[in-house]
Amino acid sequence: MPKVYLAGPEVFLPNAREVGAAKQAICAAAGLQGFFPLDNEIGDLGGPEAAWRIYDGNVAMMRAADLLIANLTPFRGPSADAGTAFEVGFMRALGKPVFAYANVALSYPERVRGWLGGALVPHAAATEDHHGLAIEDFGLKDNLMLEGAALSGAFLVEEVPAERLYSDLAAFARCVALAAGG
Amino acid sequence: MPKVYLAGPEVFLPNAREVGAAKQAICAAAGLQGFFPLDNEIGDLGGPEAAWRIYDGNVAMMRAADLLIANLTPFRGPSADAGTAFEVGFMRALGKPVFAYANVALSYPERVRGWLGGALVPHAAATEDHHGLAIEDFGLKDNLMLEGAALSGAFLVEEVPAERLYSDLAAFARCVALAAGG
C-alpha cells in the first residue's frame, strides 16, 4: 500500500487529530496509507526539545513515504504555511511526487493585494508590496517553487466557506483520487 | 571552493541583482562561491513557462551547491518566504547544511501577535490566531521545521532598521563566516 505524507497547517486546528483521522480515512478508502504529523509522540517534552522530536519524526515519516499531499491553503499571509513549504521541498529533493491543494482559488497577485488591504495598495494593479518588493506574477496561485514542485503531481484549488478554510477536504479528496490513480 | 546557494526574498527587491552581487562578494572574500537565484536566465519567456525555467534553474543550482544560506526574514506574514522554506527543505533532504538568518529578532508568537495587530488579538498572550489555529510556541523564532533544519548549521537573528529589512547583510555575513569556518 503506497504511503502518503499528509502536510498542512490543519495540525494547528483545535480538532487537528480529527481532521488528520478524516484524511487518513479518505486515503485508506483509496488504497493509500496516510502519515499525519501528529502521529508523532512527544511525551512530556516541552520547548525546543519537543520541537526537535517533532522535526525528527516528520523527517522520518517523509523518508518512509512514497508521495506527498500538501495543503497549501494560504496561512497567515498570502502564501502556504512555511513548514508545509519546507516539506514540499524535502519530498521533491527525494524525487517523490507532490500533490498540492489550496482552499482559495485566487491568483498570487490577488492574494497579496487582498492581504495588503485597501489602505496599503495604491491601486488594484499594484505590482509591488508596501516594502517595495515585487509581487510575483507568473499566472500562478503561489510561489513558483511550490507550483513547480507540484508539476510532479497536481495543484488543485477550490473556494470554500471561510469557516472551513483549513478543514475542508474536497480538494484534498481530489488529490487522493489522482494520487491513487497514478 | 565550496558552493553556497543563496536563498531569500531579496530576489523581489528592485535592486535584487545588486544585493545578490553583494552577497556573492561576501562569499568570495570568505572562500565560498555563491549561487544567486537571479543567475538564472529566462530570456523572453513569460508566465508559467518563465516560472518553470526559474524552478529548474534553482533546483539545478541547489543540487550543485554544497550548502545553503537562507534569508528567513519574515515575508508577507510572520514566517519566512514560502519559496525559501521550500529550498531549506530541499537542501536538508539532500543532507546539505543549512545556515539561516532573520533580520527580525522576535519570537514566533511575538511575530504572529504583531502581524495580527491589536484589533484582532484578544490579549497579549493569545495562543490562537483569528482562525482559531494554535500559535506554535516552542521558544523558537519561526516554524519548527525551519529551525530544526538549521540545527545542521546555524540560525542567527538580528534587528535591523525597517528600511533595510530585506537588504541588510550583517547577519548574512555572520552566516558566511560560520559556513566558511565549518
Side-chain angles (χ1 to χ4, degrees):
Chain A
M1 187 181 274
K3 299 174 186 70
V4 190
Y5 184 78
L6 303 172
E10 64 271 11
V11 295
F12 302 116
L13 285 169
N15 64 337
R17 286 177 195 278
E18 187 183 314
V19 174
K23 283 190 155 187
Q24 288 172 318
I26 292 170
C27 285
L32 303 174
Q33 182 181 359
F35 294 157
F36 193 62
L38 297 185
D39 293 345
N40 283 308
E41 293 295 339
I42 59 166
D44 293 333
L45 294 174
E49 293 310 311
W52 310 151
R53 180 74 66 89
I54 297 168
Y55 177 87
D56 289 343
N58 288 352
V59 162
M61 282 196 283
M62 286 193 283
R63 290 200 183 274
D66 301 296
L67 59 112
L68 175 68
I69 301 182
N71 177 359
L72 299 185
T73 300
F75 179 71
R76 295 176 187 161
S79 265
D81 165 49
T84 305
F86 169 95
E87 293 168 336
V88 171
F90 197 97
M91 292 295 271
R92 277 317 290 153
L94 302 179
K96 300 181 183 182
V98 171
F99 294 80
Y101 69 96
N103 283 340
V104 162
L106 299 172
S107 73
Y108 185 70
E110 289 166 337
R111 292 174 175 201
V112 175
R113 289 178 203 132
W115 167 76
L116 285 169
L120 286 166
V121 180
H123 51 84
T127 58
E128 295 181 354
D129 69 13
H130 54 309
H131 287 293
L133 275 72
I135 300 172
E136 184 177 303
D137 187 4
F138 292 109
L140 304 177
K141 308 293 186 191
D142 205 333
N143 184 287
L144 72 89
M145 299 306 289
L146 301 181
E147 297 238 9
L151 291 179
S152 63
F155 192 108
L156 306 180
V157 297
E158 185 128 349
E159 278 296 334
V160 307
E163 68 273 16
R164 295 212 307 270
L165 187 60
Y166 296 104
S167 58
D168 193 284
L169 299 182
F172 170 76
R174 290 164 57 208
C175 282
V176 170
L178 286 173
Chain B
M1 186 179 276
K3 300 174 185 70
V4 190
Y5 184 78
L6 303 171
E10 65 270 12
V11 295
F12 302 115
L13 285 167
N15 64 337
R17 285 175 194 281
E18 187 183 315
V19 174
K23 283 190 154 186
Q24 287 172 319
I26 292 170
C27 285
L32 303 174
Q33 182 181 359
F35 294 155
F36 193 62
L38 297 184
D39 293 345
N40 283 309
E41 293 294 340
I42 59 166
D44 293 332
L45 294 174
E49 293 310 311
W52 311 151
R53 178 74 64 92
I54 296 168
Y55 177 87
D56 289 343
N58 289 353
V59 162
M61 283 196 282
M62 285 193 283
R63 291 201 182 273
D66 300 297
L67 59 112
L68 175 68
I69 301 181
N71 177 359
L72 298 185
T73 300
F75 178 71
R76 296 177 188 159
S79 267
D81 165 48
T84 305
F86 169 96
E87 294 168 336
V88 171
F90 197 98
M91 293 295 271
R92 275 319 288 153
L94 301 179
K96 299 180 183 183
V98 171
F99 294 80
Y101 70 97
N103 283 340
V104 161
L106 299 173
S107 73
Y108 184 69
E110 289 166 337
R111 292 174 175 198
V112 175
R113 290 178 202 130
W115 166 76
L116 285 170
L120 285 167
V121 181
H123 51 82
T127 58
E128 295 180 355
D129 69 13
H130 55 311
H131 286 293
L133 275 72
I135 300 172
E136 184 177 305
D137 186 4
F138 292 110
L140 304 177
K141 308 294 185 192
D142 204 334
N143 185 286
L144 72 87
M145 299 307 289
L146 301 180
E147 296 238 7
L151 292 179
S152 62
F155 192 107
L156 306 179
V157 297
E158 185 128 347
E159 278 295 334
V160 309
E163 68 273 17
R164 296 212 307 271
L165 187 59
Y166 296 104
S167 57
D168 193 284
L169 298 182
F172 171 78
R174 289 163 59 210
C175 282
V176 170
L178 286 173

